[in-house]
């Protein structure tokens, strides 16, 4: 691991995430994804490029088209190259960051190109780690924060549980992450049950 590249990756991530002004996608989210990805690497028996997982986990929401007006398709590649990463590493981090999202999977998940990219364990691990952060207590908090930022109602969050979060365990690419996801989704079911009890007027 190059400490110089890592320091630049962390600094760049912190600067970019601060720009979003959204606690559902802040630097702490990037750090949690990095920590979860590191845990998933340790549980995985395959040969894994740990540097690639580390860089992609930190950078995965940098240049997010949801937030960036200056979004550029090759930006991650360019940033990694400017940090001193070699051609192959820069390209791989770019590929992971550009394919990690849920919407992209819904749109392209059935294609051979997408499936081929998802044979990479590093890709699977970063995506699973990102999605695990949408579940459990943190996932509930993030959903309310995201919704509030968009001036939506609390009922919108409950809808989001059904539209997306309850499906996440079944979209996990690694069995280790699926096990954690099935545990974390129970917290959301329990929360929804209490929410319905407390809002039920009967
Ligand atoms: P991904 O990064 O996996 O593609 P998103 O960026 O869409 O996913 O979601 C990131 C976070 O924002 C998650 O915690 C998710 O639950 C929350 N979120 C996304 N869309 C909504 C929504 N419509 N309502 C509430 N929360 C949302
Ligand atoms: Ni993310």
């Amino acid at each position: 691991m190059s400490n110089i590249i890592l320091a630049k990756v962390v600094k760049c991530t912190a600067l970019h995430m601060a720009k979003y002004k959204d606690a559902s996608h802040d630097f702490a989210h990037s750090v949690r994804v990095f920590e979860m990805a590191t845990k998933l690497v340790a549980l995985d028996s395959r040969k894994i490029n740990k540097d690639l997982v580390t860089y992609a986990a930190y950078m995965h929401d940098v240049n997010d088209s949801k937030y960036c007006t200056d979004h550029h398709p090759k930006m991650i590649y360019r940033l990694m190259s400017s940090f001193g990463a070699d051609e192959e590493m820069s390209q791989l981090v770019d590929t992971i960051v550009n394919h990690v999202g849920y919407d992209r999977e819904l749109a392209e998940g059935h294609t051979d190109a997408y499936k081929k990219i998802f044979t990479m364990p590093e890709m699977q691990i970063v995506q699973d780690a990102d999605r695990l952060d949408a579940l459990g207590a943190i996932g509930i908090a993030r959903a309310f924060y995201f919704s509030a930022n968009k001036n939506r109602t609390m009922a919108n969050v409950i809808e989001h549980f059904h539209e997306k979060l309850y499906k996440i365990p079944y979209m996990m690419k690694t069995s280790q992450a699926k096990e954690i996801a099935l545990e974390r989704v129970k917290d959301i079911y329990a929360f929804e049950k209490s929410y319905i009890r407390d809002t039920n007027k009967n």
Side-chain angles (χ1 to χ4, degrees), residues 105-118:
E105 179 165 15
L106 287 194
E108 295 175 30
H110 61 282
T111 64
D112 288 343
Y114 188 95
K115 283 182 193 151
K116 185 162 182 281
I117 289 170
F118 272 87

Side-chain angles (χ1 to χ4, degrees), residues 25-89:
H25 281 86
D26 59 2
F27 181 57
H29 165 63
S30 312
V31 174
R32 284 192 304 271
V33 172
F34 158 69
E35 287 170 350
M36 177 53 76
T38 304
K39 189 172 154 179
L40 294 176
V41 168
L43 293 169
D44 206 304
S45 56
R46 295 173 291 179
K47 189 170 171 286
I48 291 165
N49 183 336
K50 293 197 185 86
D51 291 0
L52 175 56
V53 170
T54 298
Y55 301 151
Y58 271 114
M59 299 282 282
H60 82 276
D61 274 332
V62 168
N63 190 36
D64 192 322
S65 54
K66 278 201 292 294
Y67 295 94
C68 290
T69 47
D70 57 348
H71 173 83
H72 186 280
K74 289 302 279 182
M75 188 168 145
I76 299 297
Y77 170 82
R78 290 183 187 168
L79 284 169
M80 290 308 300
S81 302
S82 76
F83 300 158
D86 65 24
E87 172 73 23
E88 191 191 9
M89 177 64 86

Side-chain angles (χ1 to χ4, degrees), residues 124-169:
Q124 299 177 349
I125 283 173
V126 174
Q127 187 184 68
D128 283 358
D130 185 30
R131 295 201 177 154
L132 283 173
D133 210 51
L135 301 179
I138 285 285
I140 295 169
R142 290 181 74 213
F144 277 102
Y145 209 100
F146 183 98
S147 213
N149 246 0
K150 301 228 175 274
N151 281 323
R152 294 187 189 149
T153 62
M154 291 201 277
N156 170 270
V157 176
I158 306 297
E159 273 170 37
H160 179 66
F161 293 170
H162 289 266
E163 274 166 14
K164 180 170 175 183
L165 304 190
Y166 291 148
K167 296 176 187 155
I168 286 180

